[in-house]
Amino acid sequence: MTGFLFLSLTESLPEPELDVYSSVPIQCWTQWFNSDNPTRGEDQETLARLRIQYPGKICPIPVGIEATNLFGIPADQTGDTIFQSDTTTGFICRNGDQISGECNDYRVRFSCTPPYCADTVCWTQWFDRDNPSRTGDWETLQSLRRENLDKICEDPWYIEAVTVDSPSTPAIQTGENFYVFSPTQGLVCRQEDQSSKTCLDYKVRFGCPCTR
């Protein structure tokens, strides 16, 4: 994949950068799982079921869960009433809870902390598509993908954000409040969330699974 650098997560990344990742709730994502469908009363994508069908593919203690239907629409936007969606049980949608009488068919994935993630991570180039002159600094993954075709992997594991000045300052050390700070969404700093009513200018890059 173009624009990526091969780095060892455990050996080559300096300690200050690791602090950035440990502060972000979402770390790296598993593959998508779709072990069931709603034809027999409910769609059960539970951790108990998935661990049996996919041994070793899910970390012992997930820190996040994401569920979408097979068209990629997030579960909370499908109109279905979701019975369960958490990192302890997993995901359950029951047909009996739906006005239509049947759930969408869902897939799920889980986020894990760095000790479970792969040994190597490949970094994109730095991106700085916006500045805080209006409502804030919007370095969203959606916009960056649109403006930088094929430069960012499909499912980033990590995000790093620093100020654009030199020497740069890691975002989490600036004291600013972030509306969005996630490898699956990017970074958003809004002026209205700051006591100074202005954000610093940031650049971001994403850590992806290495492909050879």
Side-chain angles (χ1 to χ4, degrees), residues 2-212:
T2 59
F4 287 6
L5 300 174
F6 287 88
L7 296 174
S8 168
L9 182 60
T10 55
E11 297 177 1
S12 299
L13 290 179
E15 190 64 28
E17 293 187 352
L18 289 176
D19 289 341
V20 174
Y21 312 138
S22 63
S23 73
V24 181
I26 298 175
Q27 300 295 337
C28 66
W29 289 100
T30 65
Q31 67 188 69
W32 287 102
F33 302 106
N34 181 22
S35 66
D36 196 18
N37 61 64
T39 57
R40 292 181 293 179
E42 58 188 20
D43 190 351
Q44 286 198 27
E45 306 295 341
T46 63
L47 275 166
R49 174 197 293 264
L50 293 171
R51 289 192 195 281
I52 292 173
Q53 294 190 19
Y54 302 93
K57 298 296 185 180
I58 304 172
C59 52
I61 306 176
V63 295
I65 182 174
E66 182 177 4
T68 75
N69 66 15
L70 300 189
F71 297 100
I73 300 173
D76 61 359
Q77 297 178 23
T78 62
D80 284 349
T81 299
I82 307 304
F83 177 70
Q84 195 99 33
S85 183
D86 59 46
T87 56
T88 302
T89 302
F91 180 89
I92 299 174
C93 181
R94 304 186 304 188
N95 289 347
D97 296 332
Q98 315 311 319
I99 296 176
S100 66
E102 186 173 77
C103 295
N104 280 263
D105 191 2
Y106 289 95
R107 61 178 186 171
V108 298
R109 64 177 182 172
F110 300 89
S111 60
C112 302
T113 53
Y116 182 80
C117 301
D119 291 335
T120 56
V121 57
C122 294
W123 289 98
T124 66
Q125 67 191 66
W126 288 101
F127 301 104
D128 178 23
R129 64 167 301 277
D130 195 19
N131 60 62
S133 59
R134 295 185 179 180
T135 60
D137 193 353
W138 295 73
E139 306 293 341
T140 64
L141 183 57
Q142 182 179 25
S143 296
L144 289 169
R145 278 211 176 102
R146 185 172 59 248
E147 298 168 11
N148 300 273
L149 297 178
D150 300 323
K151 296 295 185 181
I152 305 172
C153 60
E154 182 178 355
D155 297 305
W157 284 347
Y158 303 96
I159 183 173
E160 182 181 5
V162 300
T163 57
V164 299
D165 56 358
S166 182
S168 60
T169 303
I172 63 165
Q173 295 180 15
T174 63
E176 295 198 324
N177 300 308
F178 297 101
Y179 182 64
V180 171
F181 193 171
S182 161
T184 59
Q185 294 180 296
L187 178 136
V188 174
C189 179
R190 302 190 305 183
Q191 315 274 45
E192 64 184 89
D193 297 328
Q194 316 310 319
S195 58
S196 64
K197 299 305 177 184
T198 183
C199 291
L200 296 170
D201 193 5
Y202 293 96
K203 60 182 179 180
V204 299
R205 65 176 182 170
F206 298 89
C208 296
C210 294
T211 57
R212 293 180 172 84

